[in-house]
Amino acid sequence: QVQLVESGGGLVQPGGSLRLSCAASGNIFSIHAMGWYRQAPGKQRELVAAITSGGLTTYTDSVKGRFTISRDNAKNTVYLQMNNLNPEDTAVYYCAASRTPGKYDTWGPGTQVTVSS
């Protein structure tokens, strides 16, 4: 049993920054990796960033150099620092946990990120 709750979304102007947080509870020791997904209206869900239990990270090309995923194991929390946001980053962002390599089977309810003037 793993539960995830996101926080930190909101409305920002282009060029601004936000930091999303994902608090995990339950059997966190079963988690192989944590990821941040996003889904914008009319677009497919995409994996934005991921971090493995060993600390390796990966990013989709469109956010490289702007977003950073990190974790605080003591707080059972994963973060997504988003800098230099643009309107194309507008989406619902979801935290996801993988208990089996390559499979994200636990999801948070999502948090809205809106980038607009």
Side-chain angles (χ1 to χ4, degrees):
Q1 297 287 342
V2 176
Q3 295 81 41
L4 306 174
V5 180
E6 306 97 336
S7 62
L11 173 65
V12 296
Q13 294 185 336
S17 298
L18 283 174
R19 188 178 77 161
L20 305 183
S21 299
C22 174
S25 61
N27 188 17
I28 60 173
F29 299 104
S30 68
I31 298 175
H32 172 73
M34 298 288 295
W36 285 98
Y37 282 82
R38 68 184 180 187
Q39 186 160 26
K43 297 183 179 180
Q44 293 184 332
R45 182 194 66 191
E46 67 172 339
L47 180 63
V48 177
I51 184 167
T52 70
S53 59
L56 299 178
T57 60
T58 186
Y59 302 91
T60 191
D61 287 344
S62 64
V63 309
K64 288 180 179 177
R66 300 188 298 122
F67 290 11
T68 302
I69 188 170
S70 62
R71 70 185 186 195
D72 186 334
N73 288 336
K75 297 181 179 179
N76 298 327
T77 300
V78 175
Y79 304 95
L80 185 67
Q81 179 66 47
M82 305 184 294
N83 297 326
N84 194 25
L85 288 161
N86 59 65
E88 289 69 45
D89 296 315
T90 295
V92 177
Y93 284 71
Y94 298 92
C95 181
S98 172
R99 293 178 290 174
T100 301
K103 300 178 181 178
Y104 288 92
D105 54 8
T106 303
W107 298 80
T111 185
Q112 177 71 45
V113 172
T114 302
V115 185
S116 176
S117 299

mmCIF file of all heavy atoms in Angstrom, residues 2-54:
data_model
loop_
_atom_site.group_PDB
_atom_site.id
_atom_site.type_symbol
_atom_site.label_atom_id
_atom_site.label_comp_id
_atom_site.label_asym_id
_atom_site.label_seq_id
_atom_site.Cartn_x
_atom_site.Cartn_y
_atom_site.Cartn_z
ATOM 1 N N VAL A 2 0.729 2.053 -1.032
ATOM 2 C CA VAL A 2 1.434 3.317 -1.156
ATOM 3 C C VAL A 2 0.413 4.392 -1.496
ATOM 4 O O VAL A 2 -0.442 4.202 -2.370
ATOM 5 C CB VAL A 2 2.525 3.269 -2.239
ATOM 6 C CG1 VAL A 2 3.172 4.637 -2.400
ATOM 7 C CG2 VAL A 2 3.580 2.225 -1.875
ATOM 8 N N GLN A 3 0.498 5.511 -0.807
ATOM 9 C CA GLN A 3 -0.362 6.650 -1.089
ATOM 10 C C GLN A 3 0.507 7.857 -1.432
ATOM 11 O O GLN A 3 1.542 8.083 -0.802
ATOM 12 C CB GLN A 3 -1.261 6.980 0.097
ATOM 13 C CG GLN A 3 -2.276 5.892 0.452
ATOM 14 C CD GLN A 3 -1.657 4.782 1.279
ATOM 15 O OE1 GLN A 3 -0.863 5.013 2.179
ATOM 16 N NE2 GLN A 3 -2.035 3.549 0.959
ATOM 17 N N LEU A 4 0.065 8.632 -2.416
ATOM 18 C CA LEU A 4 0.803 9.792 -2.873
ATOM 19 C C LEU A 4 -0.104 11.017 -2.871
ATOM 20 O O LEU A 4 -1.262 10.932 -3.274
ATOM 21 C CB LEU A 4 1.333 9.578 -4.293
ATOM 22 C CG LEU A 4 2.170 8.324 -4.538
ATOM 23 C CD1 LEU A 4 2.492 8.204 -6.022
ATOM 24 C CD2 LEU A 4 3.449 8.370 -3.723
ATOM 25 N N VAL A 5 0.427 12.147 -2.437
ATOM 26 C CA VAL A 5 -0.305 13.403 -2.440
ATOM 27 C C VAL A 5 0.613 14.495 -2.951
ATOM 28 O O VAL A 5 1.679 14.731 -2.383
ATOM 29 C CB VAL A 5 -0.830 13.770 -1.042
ATOM 30 C CG1 VAL A 5 -1.577 15.094 -1.096
ATOM 31 C CG2 VAL A 5 -1.748 12.680 -0.509
ATOM 32 N N GLU A 6 0.181 15.184 -4.024
ATOM 33 C CA GLU A 6 0.951 16.282 -4.589
ATOM 34 C C GLU A 6 0.526 17.610 -3.974
ATOM 35 O O GLU A 6 -0.610 17.767 -3.532
ATOM 36 C CB GLU A 6 0.761 16.365 -6.109
ATOM 37 C CG GLU A 6 1.065 15.077 -6.861
ATOM 38 C CD GLU A 6 -0.175 14.267 -7.156
ATOM 39 O OE1 GLU A 6 -1.187 14.422 -6.440
ATOM 40 O OE2 GLU A 6 -0.139 13.474 -8.121
ATOM 41 N N SER A 7 1.435 18.558 -4.008
ATOM 42 C CA SER A 7 1.135 19.919 -3.595
ATOM 43 C C SER A 7 2.096 20.862 -4.309
ATOM 44 O O SER A 7 3.109 20.434 -4.853
ATOM 45 C CB SER A 7 1.240 20.087 -2.082
ATOM 46 O OG SER A 7 2.559 19.828 -1.627
ATOM 47 N N GLY A 8 1.769 22.146 -4.300
ATOM 48 C CA GLY A 8 2.658 23.155 -4.839
ATOM 49 C C GLY A 8 2.263 23.739 -6.172
ATOM 50 O O GLY A 8 2.928 24.658 -6.663
ATOM 51 N N GLY A 9 1.201 23.235 -6.778
ATOM 52 C CA GLY A 9 0.760 23.781 -8.041
ATOM 53 C C GLY A 9 0.157 25.161 -7.872
ATOM 54 O O GLY A 9 -0.083 25.628 -6.759
ATOM 55 N N GLY A 10 -0.079 25.818 -9.001
ATOM 56 C CA GLY A 10 -0.662 27.139 -8.955
ATOM 57 C C GLY A 10 -0.517 27.860 -10.265
ATOM 58 O O GLY A 10 -0.173 27.270 -11.294
ATOM 59 N N LEU A 11 -0.775 29.159 -10.229
ATOM 60 C CA LEU A 11 -0.699 30.028 -11.394
ATOM 61 C C LEU A 11 0.563 30.873 -11.317
ATOM 62 O O LEU A 11 0.802 31.546 -10.306
ATOM 63 C CB LEU A 11 -1.935 30.930 -11.456
ATOM 64 C CG LEU A 11 -1.945 32.015 -12.527
ATOM 65 C CD1 LEU A 11 -1.953 31.395 -13.923
ATOM 66 C CD2 LEU A 11 -3.137 32.927 -12.330
ATOM 67 N N VAL A 12 1.358 30.842 -12.374
ATOM 68 C CA VAL A 12 2.572 31.646 -12.445
ATOM 69 C C VAL A 12 2.672 32.283 -13.821
ATOM 70 O O VAL A 12 2.100 31.795 -14.796
ATOM 71 C CB VAL A 12 3.845 30.825 -12.161
ATOM 72 C CG1 VAL A 12 3.845 30.298 -10.737
ATOM 73 C CG2 VAL A 12 3.973 29.682 -13.158
ATOM 74 N N GLN A 13 3.419 33.371 -13.894
ATOM 75 C CA GLN A 13 3.663 34.031 -15.166
ATOM 76 C C GLN A 13 4.791 33.339 -15.922
ATOM 77 O O GLN A 13 5.631 32.662 -15.313
ATOM 78 C CB GLN A 13 4.022 35.499 -14.941
ATOM 79 C CG GLN A 13 2.884 36.333 -14.377
ATOM 80 C CD GLN A 13 3.236 37.800 -14.286
ATOM 81 O OE1 GLN A 13 4.402 38.165 -14.206
ATOM 82 N NE2 GLN A 13 2.220 38.647 -14.304
ATOM 83 N N PRO A 14 4.811 33.472 -17.241
ATOM 84 C CA PRO A 14 5.933 32.915 -18.000
ATOM 85 C C PRO A 14 7.260 33.397 -17.447
ATOM 86 O O PRO A 14 7.421 34.573 -17.113
ATOM 87 C CB PRO A 14 5.684 33.429 -19.417
ATOM 88 C CG PRO A 14 4.203 33.609 -19.485
ATOM 89 C CD PRO A 14 3.806 34.090 -18.114
ATOM 90 N N GLY A 15 8.204 32.475 -17.345
ATOM 91 C CA GLY A 15 9.498 32.782 -16.771
ATOM 92 C C GLY A 15 9.577 32.552 -15.281
ATOM 93 O O GLY A 15 10.681 32.588 -14.708
ATOM 94 N N GLY A 16 8.446 32.296 -14.650
ATOM 95 C CA GLY A 16 8.413 32.077 -13.223
ATOM 96 C C GLY A 16 8.779 30.658 -12.843
ATOM 97 O O GLY A 16 9.097 29.824 -13.693
ATOM 98 N N SER A 17 8.704 30.385 -11.543
ATOM 99 C CA SER A 17 9.101 29.091 -11.008
ATOM 100 C C SER A 17 8.066 28.554 -10.033
ATOM 101 O O SER A 17 7.338 29.312 -9.390
ATOM 102 C CB SER A 17 10.442 29.196 -10.279
ATOM 103 O OG SER A 17 11.482 29.598 -11.144
ATOM 104 N N LEU A 18 8.016 27.244 -9.931
ATOM 105 C CA LEU A 18 7.213 26.544 -8.946
ATOM 106 C C LEU A 18 7.977 25.315 -8.488
ATOM 107 O O LEU A 18 8.779 24.766 -9.246
ATOM 108 C CB LEU A 18 5.865 26.091 -9.512
ATOM 109 C CG LEU A 18 4.749 27.112 -9.687
ATOM 110 C CD1 LEU A 18 3.565 26.443 -10.392
ATOM 111 C CD2 LEU A 18 4.308 27.677 -8.353
ATOM 112 N N ARG A 19 7.715 24.891 -7.268
ATOM 113 C CA ARG A 19 8.241 23.631 -6.788
ATOM 114 C C ARG A 19 7.090 22.742 -6.349
ATOM 115 O O ARG A 19 6.329 23.096 -5.443
ATOM 116 C CB ARG A 19 9.216 23.809 -5.621
ATOM 117 C CG ARG A 19 9.911 22.491 -5.248
ATOM 118 C CD ARG A 19 10.913 22.638 -4.124
ATOM 119 N NE ARG A 19 10.270 22.746 -2.826
ATOM 120 C CZ ARG A 19 10.893 22.529 -1.666
ATOM 121 N NH1 ARG A 19 12.182 22.207 -1.662
ATOM 122 N NH2 ARG A 19 10.232 22.668 -0.531
ATOM 123 N N LEU A 20 6.964 21.609 -7.001
ATOM 124 C CA LEU A 20 5.961 20.628 -6.642
ATOM 125 C C LEU A 20 6.528 19.644 -5.642
ATOM 126 O O LEU A 20 7.706 19.294 -5.698
ATOM 127 C CB LEU A 20 5.475 19.869 -7.878
ATOM 128 C CG LEU A 20 4.944 20.707 -9.039
ATOM 129 C CD1 LEU A 20 4.442 19.782 -10.154
ATOM 130 C CD2 LEU A 20 3.849 21.650 -8.582
ATOM 131 N N SER A 21 5.678 19.192 -4.732
ATOM 132 C CA SER A 21 6.067 18.200 -3.747
ATOM 133 C C SER A 21 5.143 17.006 -3.839
ATOM 134 O O SER A 21 3.958 17.145 -4.139
ATOM 135 C CB SER A 21 5.999 18.779 -2.329
ATOM 136 O OG SER A 21 6.876 19.871 -2.169
ATOM 137 N N CYS A 22 5.681 15.842 -3.580
ATOM 138 C CA CYS A 22 4.908 14.611 -3.555
ATOM 139 C C CYS A 22 5.266 13.856 -2.294
ATOM 140 O O CYS A 22 6.400 13.375 -2.156
ATOM 141 C CB CYS A 22 5.202 13.762 -4.795
ATOM 142 S SG CYS A 22 4.408 12.134 -4.776
ATOM 143 N N ALA A 23 4.316 13.774 -1.387
ATOM 144 C CA ALA A 23 4.519 13.070 -0.132
ATOM 145 C C ALA A 23 4.009 11.643 -0.260
ATOM 146 O O ALA A 23 2.859 11.423 -0.633
ATOM 147 C CB ALA A 23 3.803 13.793 1.005
ATOM 148 N N ALA A 24 4.865 10.697 0.046
ATOM 149 C CA ALA A 24 4.524 9.282 -0.043
ATOM 150 C C ALA A 24 4.350 8.694 1.352
ATOM 151 O O ALA A 24 5.082 9.033 2.281
ATOM 152 C CB ALA A 24 5.596 8.512 -0.801
ATOM 153 N N SER A 25 3.387 7.812 1.475
ATOM 154 C CA SER A 25 3.164 7.111 2.729
ATOM 155 C C SER A 25 2.821 5.664 2.439
ATOM 156 O O SER A 25 2.519 5.298 1.307
ATOM 157 C CB SER A 25 2.054 7.776 3.546
ATOM 158 O OG SER A 25 0.825 7.771 2.840
ATOM 159 N N GLY A 26 2.863 4.852 3.463
ATOM 160 C CA GLY A 26 2.598 3.438 3.301
ATOM 161 C C GLY A 26 3.891 2.655 3.174
ATOM 162 O O GLY A 26 4.886 2.964 3.817
ATOM 163 N N ASN A 27 3.869 1.654 2.308
ATOM 164 C CA ASN A 27 5.024 0.786 2.117
ATOM 165 C C ASN A 27 6.005 1.420 1.143
ATOM 166 O O ASN A 27 6.201 0.948 0.022
ATOM 167 C CB ASN A 27 4.579 -0.587 1.624
ATOM 168 C CG ASN A 27 5.726 -1.582 1.588
ATOM 169 O OD1 ASN A 27 6.769 -1.372 2.210
ATOM 170 N ND2 ASN A 27 5.538 -2.669 0.849
ATOM 171 N N ILE A 28 6.647 2.495 1.595
ATOM 172 C CA ILE A 28 7.534 3.246 0.712
ATOM 173 C C ILE A 28 8.784 2.459 0.349
ATOM 174 O O ILE A 28 9.426 2.756 -0.666
ATOM 175 C CB ILE A 28 7.933 4.587 1.343
ATOM 176 C CG1 ILE A 28 8.669 4.361 2.669
ATOM 177 C CG2 ILE A 28 6.704 5.467 1.538
ATOM 178 C CD1 ILE A 28 9.235 5.625 3.271
ATOM 179 N N PHE A 29 9.119 1.469 1.122
ATOM 180 C CA PHE A 29 10.315 0.684 0.829
ATOM 181 C C PHE A 29 10.142 -0.188 -0.401
ATOM 182 O O PHE A 29 11.127 -0.713 -0.920
ATOM 183 C CB PHE A 29 10.693 -0.172 2.038
ATOM 184 C CG PHE A 29 11.009 0.623 3.264
ATOM 185 C CD1 PHE A 29 10.100 0.709 4.309
ATOM 186 C CD2 PHE A 29 12.208 1.301 3.378
ATOM 187 C CE1 PHE A 29 10.380 1.450 5.437
ATOM 188 C CE2 PHE A 29 12.501 2.048 4.506
ATOM 189 C CZ PHE A 29 11.579 2.122 5.542
ATOM 190 N N SER A 30 8.912 -0.345 -0.858
ATOM 191 C CA SER A 30 8.651 -1.128 -2.052
ATOM 192 C C SER A 30 8.826 -0.325 -3.335
ATOM 193 O O SER A 30 8.755 -0.887 -4.424
ATOM 194 C CB SER A 30 7.231 -1.704 -2.013
ATOM 195 O OG SER A 30 6.259 -0.682 -2.127
ATOM 196 N N ILE A 31 9.040 0.977 -3.227
ATOM 197 C CA ILE A 31 9.098 1.849 -4.397
ATOM 198 C C ILE A 31 10.443 1.724 -5.101
ATOM 199 O O ILE A 31 11.492 1.925 -4.488
ATOM 200 C CB ILE A 31 8.834 3.311 -4.006
ATOM 201 C CG1 ILE A 31 7.431 3.452 -3.422
ATOM 202 C CG2 ILE A 31 9.007 4.230 -5.215
ATOM 203 C CD1 ILE A 31 7.116 4.831 -2.900
ATOM 204 N N HIS A 32 10.381 1.419 -6.385
ATOM 205 C CA HIS A 32 11.577 1.320 -7.206
ATOM 206 C C HIS A 32 11.987 2.674 -7.768
ATOM 207 O O HIS A 32 13.171 2.990 -7.861
ATOM 208 C CB HIS A 32 11.345 0.331 -8.349
ATOM 209 C CG HIS A 32 12.442 0.298 -9.352
ATOM 210 N ND1 HIS A 32 13.674 -0.274 -9.103
ATOM 211 C CD2 HIS A 32 12.512 0.783 -10.624
ATOM 212 C CE1 HIS A 32 14.441 -0.152 -10.161
ATOM 213 N NE2 HIS A 32 13.761 0.476 -11.096
ATOM 214 N N ALA A 33 10.979 3.475 -8.164
ATOM 215 C CA ALA A 33 11.249 4.780 -8.740
ATOM 216 C C ALA A 33 10.038 5.674 -8.539
ATOM 217 O O ALA A 33 8.912 5.194 -8.360
ATOM 218 C CB ALA A 33 11.585 4.668 -10.223
ATOM 219 N N MET A 34 10.276 6.980 -8.582
ATOM 220 C CA MET A 34 9.217 7.966 -8.526
ATOM 221 C C MET A 34 9.282 8.818 -9.781
ATOM 222 O O MET A 34 10.374 9.127 -10.269
ATOM 223 C CB MET A 34 9.358 8.862 -7.302
ATOM 224 C CG MET A 34 9.259 8.132 -5.974
ATOM 225 S SD MET A 34 7.565 7.582 -5.618
ATOM 226 C CE MET A 34 6.733 9.159 -5.453
ATOM 227 N N GLY A 35 8.129 9.189 -10.287
ATOM 228 C CA GLY A 35 8.081 9.993 -11.490
ATOM 229 C C GLY A 35 7.053 11.095 -11.405
ATOM 230 O O GLY A 35 6.108 11.033 -10.608
ATOM 231 N N TRP A 36 7.266 12.118 -12.207
ATOM 232 C CA TRP A 36 6.299 13.181 -12.395
ATOM 233 C C TRP A 36 5.784 13.114 -13.826
ATOM 234 O O TRP A 36 6.571 13.179 -14.776
ATOM 235 C CB TRP A 36 6.911 14.561 -12.136
ATOM 236 C CG TRP A 36 7.126 14.874 -10.691
ATOM 237 C CD1 TRP A 36 8.271 14.752 -9.982
ATOM 238 C CD2 TRP A 36 6.149 15.388 -9.785
ATOM 239 N NE1 TRP A 36 8.079 15.155 -8.682
ATOM 240 C CE2 TRP A 36 6.781 15.544 -8.534
ATOM 241 C CE3 TRP A 36 4.800 15.726 -9.905
ATOM 242 C CZ2 TRP A 36 6.116 16.030 -7.406
ATOM 243 C CZ3 TRP A 36 4.134 16.204 -8.789
ATOM 244 C CH2 TRP A 36 4.790 16.349 -7.563
ATOM 245 N N TYR A 37 4.493 12.956 -13.959
ATOM 246 C CA TYR A 37 3.813 12.993 -15.247
ATOM 247 C C TYR A 37 3.036 14.289 -15.363
ATOM 248 O O TYR A 37 2.707 14.924 -14.366
ATOM 249 C CB TYR A 37 2.837 11.834 -15.391
ATOM 250 C CG TYR A 37 3.458 10.492 -15.717
ATOM 251 C CD1 TYR A 37 4.014 9.689 -14.727
ATOM 252 C CD2 TYR A 37 3.454 10.015 -17.026
ATOM 253 C CE1 TYR A 37 4.559 8.455 -15.031
ATOM 254 C CE2 TYR A 37 3.994 8.781 -17.336
ATOM 255 C CZ TYR A 37 4.548 8.004 -16.335
ATOM 256 O OH TYR A 37 5.085 6.771 -16.639
ATOM 257 N N ARG A 38 2.704 14.652 -16.590
ATOM 258 C CA ARG A 38 1.798 15.767 -16.797
ATOM 259 C C ARG A 38 0.893 15.473 -17.979
ATOM 260 O O ARG A 38 1.245 14.737 -18.889
ATOM 261 C CB ARG A 38 2.549 17.079 -17.021
ATOM 262 C CG ARG A 38 3.339 17.164 -18.322
ATOM 263 C CD ARG A 38 4.116 18.470 -18.384
ATOM 264 N NE ARG A 38 4.874 18.591 -19.619
ATOM 265 C CZ ARG A 38 5.737 19.571 -19.876
ATOM 266 N NH1 ARG A 38 5.951 20.523 -18.962
ATOM 267 N NH2 ARG A 38 6.390 19.609 -21.027
ATOM 268 N N GLN A 39 -0.290 16.062 -17.934
ATOM 269 C CA GLN A 39 -1.231 15.925 -19.025
ATOM 270 C C GLN A 39 -1.927 17.256 -19.255
ATOM 271 O O GLN A 39 -2.590 17.779 -18.359
ATOM 272 C CB GLN A 39 -2.262 14.833 -18.755
ATOM 273 C CG GLN A 39 -3.166 14.564 -19.943
ATOM 274 C CD GLN A 39 -3.845 13.218 -19.872
ATOM 275 O OE1 GLN A 39 -4.052 12.661 -18.794
ATOM 276 N NE2 GLN A 39 -4.193 12.678 -21.027
ATOM 277 N N ALA A 40 -1.756 17.784 -20.449
ATOM 278 C CA ALA A 40 -2.397 19.022 -20.848
ATOM 279 C C ALA A 40 -3.645 18.696 -21.664
ATOM 280 O O ALA A 40 -3.745 17.622 -22.268
ATOM 281 C CB ALA A 40 -1.443 19.880 -21.667
ATOM 282 N N PRO A 41 -4.614 19.616 -21.703
ATOM 283 C CA PRO A 41 -5.826 19.371 -22.489
ATOM 284 C C PRO A 41 -5.505 19.046 -23.944
ATOM 285 O O PRO A 41 -4.737 19.753 -24.593
ATOM 286 C CB PRO A 41 -6.586 20.693 -22.369
ATOM 287 C CG PRO A 41 -6.123 21.270 -21.076
ATOM 288 C CD PRO A 41 -4.670 20.900 -20.992
ATOM 289 N N GLY A 42 -6.083 17.967 -24.437
ATOM 290 C CA GLY A 42 -5.894 17.575 -25.815
ATOM 291 C C GLY A 42 -4.569 16.908 -26.113
ATOM 292 O O GLY A 42 -4.281 16.620 -27.280
ATOM 293 N N LYS A 43 -3.763 16.666 -25.096
ATOM 294 C CA LYS A 43 -2.462 16.049 -25.294
ATOM 295 C C LYS A 43 -2.356 14.756 -24.497
ATOM 296 O O LYS A 43 -3.084 14.547 -23.528
ATOM 297 C CB LYS A 43 -1.338 17.001 -24.888
ATOM 298 C CG LYS A 43 -1.264 18.275 -25.711
ATOM 299 C CD LYS A 43 -0.090 19.129 -25.291
ATOM 300 C CE LYS A 43 0.010 20.388 -26.122
ATOM 301 N NZ LYS A 43 1.166 21.222 -25.696
ATOM 302 N N GLN A 44 -1.446 13.912 -24.923
ATOM 303 C CA GLN A 44 -1.205 12.665 -24.220
ATOM 304 C C GLN A 44 -0.429 12.913 -22.935
ATOM 305 O O GLN A 44 0.326 13.877 -22.819
ATOM 306 C CB GLN A 44 -0.432 11.689 -25.107
ATOM 307 C CG GLN A 44 -1.193 11.192 -26.323
ATOM 308 C CD GLN A 44 -0.412 10.157 -27.099
ATOM 309 O OE1 GLN A 44 0.817 10.146 -27.091
ATOM 310 N NE2 GLN A 44 -1.126 9.274 -27.771
ATOM 311 N N ARG A 45 -0.637 12.030 -21.989
ATOM 312 C CA ARG A 45 0.141 12.073 -20.771
ATOM 313 C C ARG A 45 1.604 11.788 -21.089
ATOM 314 O O ARG A 45 1.909 10.909 -21.900
ATOM 315 C CB ARG A 45 -0.390 11.034 -19.783
ATOM 316 C CG ARG A 45 0.321 11.005 -18.444
ATOM 317 C CD ARG A 45 -0.052 9.742 -17.683
ATOM 318 N NE ARG A 45 0.452 8.553 -18.356
ATOM 319 C CZ ARG A 45 0.106 7.315 -18.051
ATOM 320 N NH1 ARG A 45 -0.781 7.095 -17.091
ATOM 321 N NH2 ARG A 45 0.629 6.294 -18.713
ATOM 322 N N GLU A 46 2.503 12.523 -20.469
ATOM 323 C CA GLU A 46 3.912 12.296 -20.696
ATOM 324 C C GLU A 46 4.672 12.271 -19.377
ATOM 325 O O GLU A 46 4.323 12.960 -18.420
ATOM 326 C CB GLU A 46 4.510 13.366 -21.618
ATOM 327 C CG GLU A 46 4.554 14.757 -21.026
ATOM 328 C CD GLU A 46 5.323 15.743 -21.884
ATOM 329 O OE1 GLU A 46 6.144 15.313 -22.721
ATOM 330 O OE2 GLU A 46 5.101 16.967 -21.722
ATOM 331 N N LEU A 47 5.708 11.470 -19.361
ATOM 332 C CA LEU A 47 6.594 11.414 -18.208
ATOM 333 C C LEU A 47 7.559 12.581 -18.292
ATOM 334 O O LEU A 47 8.348 12.682 -19.233
ATOM 335 C CB LEU A 47 7.347 10.087 -18.179
ATOM 336 C CG LEU A 47 8.332 9.878 -17.026
ATOM 337 C CD1 LEU A 47 7.601 9.890 -15.681
ATOM 338 C CD2 LEU A 47 9.095 8.575 -17.201
ATOM 339 N N VAL A 48 7.508 13.452 -17.306
ATOM 340 C CA VAL A 48 8.338 14.646 -17.294
ATOM 341 C C VAL A 48 9.708 14.365 -16.706
ATOM 342 O O VAL A 48 10.736 14.779 -17.252
ATOM 343 C CB VAL A 48 7.651 15.776 -16.512
ATOM 344 C CG1 VAL A 48 8.537 17.013 -16.429
ATOM 345 C CG2 VAL A 48 6.312 16.115 -17.152
ATOM 346 N N ALA A 49 9.736 13.690 -15.586
ATOM 347 C CA ALA A 49 10.980 13.409 -14.886
ATOM 348 C C ALA A 49 10.796 12.194 -14.007
ATOM 349 O O ALA A 49 9.678 11.876 -13.586
ATOM 350 C CB ALA A 49 11.421 14.613 -14.042
ATOM 351 N N ALA A 50 11.880 11.517 -13.723
ATOM 352 C CA ALA A 50 11.835 10.351 -12.856
ATOM 353 C C ALA A 50 13.126 10.250 -12.074
ATOM 354 O O ALA A 50 14.178 10.716 -12.518
ATOM 355 C CB ALA A 50 11.607 9.075 -13.668
ATOM 356 N N ILE A 51 13.028 9.627 -10.917
ATOM 357 C CA ILE A 51 14.204 9.385 -10.090
ATOM 358 C C ILE A 51 14.092 7.982 -9.516
ATOM 359 O O ILE A 51 13.049 7.584 -9.010
ATOM 360 C CB ILE A 51 14.346 10.455 -8.979
ATOM 361 C CG1 ILE A 51 15.634 10.244 -8.183
ATOM 362 C CG2 ILE A 51 13.119 10.475 -8.073
ATOM 363 C CD1 ILE A 51 15.987 11.427 -7.287
ATOM 364 N N THR A 52 15.164 7.226 -9.610
ATOM 365 C CA THR A 52 15.166 5.856 -9.120
ATOM 366 C C THR A 52 15.530 5.827 -7.649
ATOM 367 O O THR A 52 15.978 6.817 -7.070
ATOM 368 C CB THR A 52 16.152 4.981 -9.900
ATOM 369 O OG1 THR A 52 17.495 5.365 -9.566
ATOM 370 C CG2 THR A 52 15.943 5.116 -11.400
ATOM 371 N N SER A 53 15.353 4.663 -7.048
ATOM 372 C CA SER A 53 15.723 4.501 -5.648
ATOM 373 C C SER A 53 17.213 4.722 -5.432
ATOM 374 O O SER A 53 17.630 5.054 -4.321
ATOM 375 C CB SER A 53 15.318 3.110 -5.150
ATOM 376 O OG SER A 53 15.945 2.091 -5.916
ATOM 377 N N GLY A 54 18.003 4.550 -6.480
ATOM 378 C CA GLY A 54 19.430 4.787 -6.403
ATOM 379 C C GLY A 54 19.836 6.222 -6.683
ATOM 380 O O GLY A 54 21.031 6.543 -6.620
#
